[in-house]
Amino acid sequence: LDDAEKKRWQDAIEKALYSGIKWVVGCEIVATECCDYKLESVFLLHRGYGLIPLRVNTVQVLTDTIHAVSCGDDSLCWVWRICDGEPTQVFPDHTGPVLSVAVLHDATYILSVGLGCPKPEQKDCGGVIGEAFIWDWRWGFRAQLLVQDHPVLAAGELDAWRMVLLGNVDGFTTAWQWFNGNTLKLPYNARKVDEIRGFARAKAEEAVDGFDGWKRLVIKEAVDKGEAAARLVLAANPHLVTTATALALAWDISVWNDFGAVKAIAYVPTNLRFVTAHGCG
């Protein structure tokens, strides 16, 4: 509105107010109540007894909407009442920090995943393997266990017959049919990190063989010392190599699907699809 229109609008409002009208449509004051959100309960059993409290990593509301399940660095998953924070069940089988939890659609079982130790008595190993448990939240007993070479960071469920998803630190997602134990790593037929590194090194050595004399010795020594040294040689001596050879020697040029550790999983309820969030953004 320009200044003249604003002035006419203001005059109309003032005229209505002076004539005894208590309100103008669009300008009335509506009485509202204060927000009734308040702290309902606090659950503190994950804190431990040390000077530094342990961390809670994940929490989910159960399908009965009365209970919640939470898991943390204490290697425990607690089931507790939301209304008063009273614990009703605990699952103690994890050997390391529990990082993610998913309440399954059958209203009976819970999937919890995290870091683990090769031997249950070594709870201070730092979490060198991955653990995934299926357990009954009513009674606290274990139904299934899957151990992986890499730590498991995320958990989710597919809308299929007892099929769950595990997000791994190596960038892959494992589809686990926990009723019969079958697993499938996704993306299907993708290369592992060590396979990618081996492929890149083979390409680099192949490129080195294309040089003659002192050039071959310089590049070979750089490649043997690692990718950083090879990149420094290429940057300082761009005349040594062609574009094709530079691409073969530059190990950090990615042509594969490697986005870092899977941090979170969300199920898309159409055609058995899911979304993953990765550590490399």
Side-chain angles (χ1 to χ4, degrees):
L1 298 176
D2 56 25
D3 292 340
E5 292 173 334
K6 291 179 181 178
K7 182 67 168 58
R8 288 195 297 270
W9 176 249
Q10 186 66 28
D11 291 343
I13 294 177
E14 292 178 353
K15 183 178 179 180
L17 293 176
Y18 292 152
S19 63
I21 298 177
K22 303 258 185 218
W23 52 269
V24 178
V25 175
C27 300
E28 64 268 36
I29 299 176
V30 180
T32 59
E33 297 181 358
C34 295
C35 176
D36 60 353
Y37 286 107
K38 61 181 180 179
L39 182 63
E40 184 76 17
S41 62
V42 179
F43 184 76
L44 297 175
L45 291 185
H46 287 291
R47 293 171 59 91
Y49 301 100
L51 294 177
I52 301 177
L54 298 177
R55 181 175 55 189
V56 180
N57 297 320
T58 179
V59 62
Q60 291 282 329
V61 177
L62 300 189
T63 48
D64 64 356
T65 69
I66 298 174
H67 296 85
V69 56
S70 58
C71 311
D73 285 351
D74 57 352
S75 305
L76 299 175
C77 287
W78 286 92
V79 178
W80 45 279
R81 285 199 306 262
I82 298 173
C83 62
D84 56 7
E86 181 73 18
T88 61
Q89 193 56 259
V90 63
F91 181 72
D93 287 13
H94 281 276
T95 61
V98 188
L99 302 180
S100 184
V101 68
V103 179
L104 304 190
H105 298 322
D106 58 12
T108 301
Y109 293 105
I110 290 176
L111 166 65
S112 57
V113 304
L115 311 180
C117 299
K119 296 181 180 180
E121 62 271 13
Q122 298 176 341
K123 287 205 171 187
D124 58 348
C125 70
V128 295
I129 62 173
E131 293 178 336
F133 286 94
I134 301 289
W135 52 281
D136 189 320
W137 73 268
R138 301 165 302 175
W139 308 107
F141 67 80
R142 180 176 71 188
Q144 289 291 346
L145 164 64
L146 178 66
V147 176
Q148 297 203 315
D149 295 334
H150 300 283
V152 183
L153 307 181
E157 183 185 19
L158 283 173
D159 192 13
W161 174 245
R162 296 192 172 180
M163 182 84 72
V164 296
L165 300 169
L166 313 176
N168 301 326
V169 74
D170 61 354
F172 286 85
T173 300
T174 301
W176 177 28
Q177 194 170 24
W178 61 270
F179 185 72
N180 56 23
N182 293 334
T183 60
L184 176 65
K185 266 199 167 186
L186 303 171
Y188 180 71
N189 204 28
R191 301 300 181 188
K192 297 180 180 179
V193 175
D194 54 349
E195 294 174 336
I196 295 170
R197 292 185 182 276
F199 175 79
R201 184 169 183 83
K203 285 293 184 182
E205 293 174 350
E206 181 181 343
V208 170
D209 292 338
F211 294 107
D212 294 326
W214 67 271
K215 295 181 181 179
R216 184 176 185 277
L217 294 177
V218 171
I219 297 295
K220 185 177 185 304
E221 184 178 357
V223 170
D224 290 340
K225 290 182 178 180
E227 62 175 292
R231 287 205 301 269
L232 288 175
V233 170
L234 293 177
N237 303 277
H239 61 283
L240 291 180
V241 294
T242 63
T243 302
T245 305
L247 290 175
L249 288 172
W251 295 356
D252 57 342
I253 296 178
S254 301
V255 293
W256 47 80
N257 187 13
D258 181 21
F259 300 108
V262 181
K263 297 287 189 176
I265 299 175
Y267 168 63
V268 180
T270 54
N271 298 328
L272 292 182
R273 295 184 297 174
F274 61 93
V275 181
T276 55
H278 294 257
C280 292

